[in-house]
Amino acid sequence: METKPDGISVMVVDDEQDIRDGSERILTRAGFQVLKASRGDEALEALAKEKVSIVLLDLKMPGMDGMEALKHIRILDETILVIVITGYATVETAIEAMKRGAYDFISKPFDPDQLRIVVNRAWEKIYLKQEAEALEEEKKRTLVDLDTEKSRIHTIVEYLPNGVIVTNSKGYVVLMNPAFRQLMDLDPDLKTGQPIDHYIADRGLCDLVMEISQGRHVDYEDIPDYEFAIANEKFLLARGQPVLGERKECLGAVINVADISAMKLLDQLKSEFVAKVSHELRSPLSTIHEQLALVIRDMMEETTEQDQQILNRAKEKTKGLIALIGDLLDLSRIEEGLICKDPKPVQIEDLLESVVDFLKTQAKAKDQSITLSLPEEPLSHFMADPVALESIFGNLITNAINYTPAGGNIHVQADMAGTNLRVKVIDNGFGIDDKYFDKIFERFYRVKDEKTRYITGTGLGLPIVKELVDSMGGLIDLDSTLGEGTTFTVLLPTQRDL
Ligand code: ATP
Ligand code: MG
């Protein structure tokens, strides 16, 4: 026996007991809850108390007749579906009853199937109506949710301390929050809807926004941040991401702009502090280093082997510290723009030869060969700071020596690429995994694996090289295969207004 959901009860109103009991049996078996009444007024009384969905109503009853009862039921609860029970001769009355709001009719005498069909039809109607109402209710609720969600997001964007703009795929601004207007010094009433360059003067930022909006960045992880300065020594940092549709198509861009002036100032203070401390530490450390060297030399015979080892280790450590301080000072000088301030005409062939020569002893100690190849044609002479150039090639060649096992080969090769000087430092050493290609140019970053673990260094060499190359308007690139070797390529413009 199937059961109908709660609340579906049927009332059978008939003066004939057989009909009442017979219907009760059939309908209960079909899963309905059944109530019975033998008269119209009795039915109305019960309906006022109980929730009934379907009423089977005999039209011909003593006392209040069916038609009268129908009228009252309709007044009481018009959602009740009334099925009238008619005799053979009263089809017309049945039609009349339908006109007055009855839902269906069934003629007497009826068999169980007929009853089941007619009541089930009414039940289906109720069921569908309930479903439709539930759906409608849910739709309303979702709309309310959406509405509150929308206003919540709107409020968040409005009150974000960072500037936010959203563009469409053509680079037109569709949303701009008050913080953005304030950061960019825009009129608070300025309307959206114009291309990005209507609001932003900085060319580089406009280009970045256009690129992201038009979906030209394939790798979303790799979209560069953009730092720029505006009036009153304010520094801003913009970060953008594409807005993607369901099929991952680019619909536009969201750009977040933060004021980083305070951070910039802190950075500057930090650099000044580092420079000062390094400077103060350098001479006492050099003195300690020299004195240790003296002690080691003079007390060779008197000290035990163990003490000698300790002293040697101390000397090595101070040497490392002096190198670190040297690097830190170099960096702060680059930051202050002190390096490359004093350009002189450089003879690049001579400069490379002397750097390679100087590092030959280091290579020899590791049984490595180091060669320099220069083109037949003389390289262009150009104006640059020779100390900066020595630092660039010195660092790259030292790395090649350090990160190549004993017996390896280091090759330095210089030529002209158009008006650019091109220098390659090639080794057949450990190589670098390409996931570290960007990282190794960050300060203090060192790749730590089984092979490089025991090589000492501070991770400042390449950042110095990169800053110097940048400040000369050049480029540095690397190509490397793990286990095969690395090539660093430096390109420096030789015809540049300084
Ligand atoms: P230092 O500040 O003394 O130069 P460092 O050599 O560790 O220390 P970087 O010169 O900045 O620092 O190099 C960073 C890292 O890049 C190194 O630790 C090393 O792992 C890797 N690296 C640099 N050059 C090479 C190379 N030619 N072959 C393999 N790995 C290299
Ligand atoms: Mg190095």
Side-chain angles (χ1 to χ4, degrees):
M1 185 181 81
E2 59 171 323
T3 24
K4 300 288 186 272
D6 285 352
I8 297 290
S9 23
V10 183
M11 180 182 276
V12 186
V13 191
D14 202 305
D15 55 336
E16 280 178 64
Q17 171 133 24
D18 286 354
I19 299 264
R20 286 203 301 274
D21 294 347
S23 306
E24 181 184 29
R25 221 172 23 251
I26 295 160
L27 294 177
T28 312
R29 225 175 275 150
F32 295 98
Q33 294 168 32
V34 181
L35 289 92
K36 293 180 289 185
S38 56
R39 296 157 55 100
D41 47 0
E42 192 193 325
L44 283 170
E45 217 169 282
L47 286 176
K49 289 189 209 129
E50 300 254 2
K51 169 79 187 130
V52 170
S53 307
I54 301 166
V55 173
L56 274 164
L57 181 64
D58 187 15
L59 283 181
K60 256 194 153 163
M61 284 180 297
M64 183 192 288
D65 78 351
M67 214 56 98
E68 183 69 13
L70 172 63
K71 196 172 92 190
H72 288 290
I73 294 172
R74 300 288 300 156
I75 293 169
L76 189 70
D77 181 352
E78 61 170 14
T79 64
I80 296 176
L81 297 186
V82 181
I83 300 164
V84 292
I85 306 172
T86 63
Y88 282 122
T90 52
V91 177
E92 269 160 37
T93 352
I95 292 167
E96 182 60 28
M98 302 281 281
K99 276 190 198 153
R100 295 192 190 188
Y103 172 66
D104 208 343
F105 70 93
I106 184 166
S107 310
K108 249 197 291 199
F110 46 79
D111 60 33
D113 274 345
Q114 282 173 314
L115 181 67
R116 265 197 298 270
I117 286 168
V118 83
V119 175
N120 267 329
R121 199 155 53 208
W123 174 74
E124 244 157 52
K125 154 122 180 160
I126 291 168
Y127 174 76
L128 288 177
K129 192 164 161 243
Q130 279 175 356
E131 283 281 278
E133 277 169 5
L135 280 178
E136 185 63 22
E137 194 50 39
E138 195 176 310
K139 196 170 118 197
K140 263 195 224 147
R141 223 176 311 127
T142 328
L143 280 178
V144 170
D145 281 356
L146 268 182
D147 229 35
T148 43
E149 188 70 1
K150 213 169 109 188
S151 77
R152 202 179 302 150
I153 288 170
H154 183 76
T155 316
I156 293 170
V157 173
E158 283 290 292
Y159 288 98
L160 269 182
N162 282 2
V164 174
I165 38 166
V166 180
T167 57
N168 65 13
S169 61
K170 292 203 178 84
Y172 281 62
V173 174
V174 291
L175 188 150
M176 177 162 64
N177 74 348
F180 182 80
R181 291 189 166 91
Q182 205 194 343
L183 280 176
M184 304 302 286
D185 219 2
L186 296 174
D187 182 348
D189 297 323
L190 190 61
K191 293 260 180 303
T192 55
Q194 300 290 323
I196 185 72
D197 52 11
H198 184 79
Y199 308 92
I200 297 174
D202 191 283
R203 202 57 252 160
L205 181 58
C206 285
D207 289 348
L208 180 72
V209 175
M210 284 309 285
E211 280 167 20
I212 302 175
S213 304
Q214 294 170 344
R216 278 190 265 156
H217 281 275
V218 191
D219 187 356
Y220 302 136
E221 309 263 303
D222 225 24
I223 299 178
D225 293 344
Y226 184 76
E227 212 179 288
F228 60 110
I230 50 171
N232 305 329
E233 303 210 6
K234 245 203 232 169
F235 291 91
L236 302 179
L237 178 76
R239 284 203 168 126
Q241 277 291 305
V243 181
L244 299 182
E246 271 175 25
R247 276 169 283 114
K248 298 263 178 264
E249 75 280 22
C250 182
L251 304 175
V254 186
I255 316 291
N256 176 64
V257 181
D259 186 346
I260 53 161
S261 313
M263 260 162 54
K264 276 271 174 194
L265 184 65
L266 274 178
D267 201 43
Q268 193 192 334
L269 289 176
K270 186 208 69 191
S271 300
E272 281 170 19
F273 175 77
V274 169
K276 223 176 205 139
V277 172
S278 311
H279 190 78
E280 295 296 320
L281 285 176
R282 183 151 65 171
S283 29
L285 261 178
S286 303
T287 315
I288 294 172
H289 187 254
E290 279 157 27
Q291 288 170 348
L292 273 173
L294 277 181
V295 169
I296 293 168
R297 199 194 61 196
D298 295 347
M299 296 172 62
M300 269 303 234
E301 283 98 49
E302 295 146 55
T303 47
T304 61
E305 200 169 311
Q306 202 187 4
D307 285 348
Q308 270 179 35
Q309 262 180 11
I310 294 173
L311 287 170
N312 270 323
R313 226 176 291 138
K315 195 181 118 208
E316 278 310 301
K317 289 276 175 208
T318 41
K319 197 173 144 199
L321 276 175
I322 292 167
L324 163 66
I325 286 170
D327 282 353
L328 287 171
L329 281 173
D330 273 356
L331 268 177
S332 49
R333 258 186 255 132
I334 298 167
E335 272 171 2
E336 282 176 49
L338 289 179
I339 281 191
C340 303
K341 218 182 187 177
D342 189 18
K344 297 186 185 87
V346 282
Q347 247 280 351
I348 191 71
E349 287 97 336
D350 292 353
L351 189 137
L352 285 173
E353 257 159 26
S354 84
V355 175
V356 168
D357 236 37
F358 180 72
L359 293 169
K360 236 173 204 151
T361 19
Q362 266 187 50
K364 231 180 218 143
K366 284 184 80 179
D367 214 11
Q368 293 165 335
S369 76
I370 174 162
T371 47
L372 168 69
S373 75
L374 296 166
E376 306 234 318
E377 296 281 299
L379 295 164
S380 301
H381 289 185
F382 64 107
M383 299 289 283
D385 183 337
V387 180
L389 289 173
E390 278 165 14
S391 176
I392 293 173
F393 301 119
N395 264 302
L396 292 178
I397 300 170
T398 309
N399 279 350
I401 294 171
N402 284 342
Y403 303 107
T404 297
N409 307 313
I410 289 112
H411 184 61
V412 182
Q413 184 186 312
D415 62 3
M416 295 302 293
T419 59
N420 291 314
L421 167 71
R422 177 169 55 194
V423 180
K424 285 178 188 264
V425 177
I426 308 161
D427 67 53
N428 62 350
F430 302 135
I432 308 165
D433 195 329
D434 52 13
K435 69 179 173 211
Y436 300 124
F437 279 14
D438 286 335
K439 287 259 177 228
I440 53 172
F441 289 100
E442 287 172 13
R443 290 180 193 188
F444 299 108
Y445 193 88
R446 308 196 63 228
V447 182
K448 290 215 176 70
D449 58 27
E450 279 313 308
K451 291 189 183 117
T452 58
R453 179 156 312 189
Y454 305 102
I455 302 167
T456 50
T458 47
L460 286 173
L462 287 177
I464 290 177
V465 170
K466 173 101 174 71
E467 296 247 9
L468 288 172
V469 171
D470 281 351
S471 70
M472 293 182 180
L475 285 173
I476 177 158
D477 196 14
L478 84 142
D479 188 19
S480 185
T481 311
L482 267 183
E484 285 183 21
T486 306
T487 300
F488 278 91
T489 306
V490 174
L491 276 180
L492 294 173
T494 57
Q495 291 174 4
R496 201 164 77 106
D497 296 330
L498 290 166

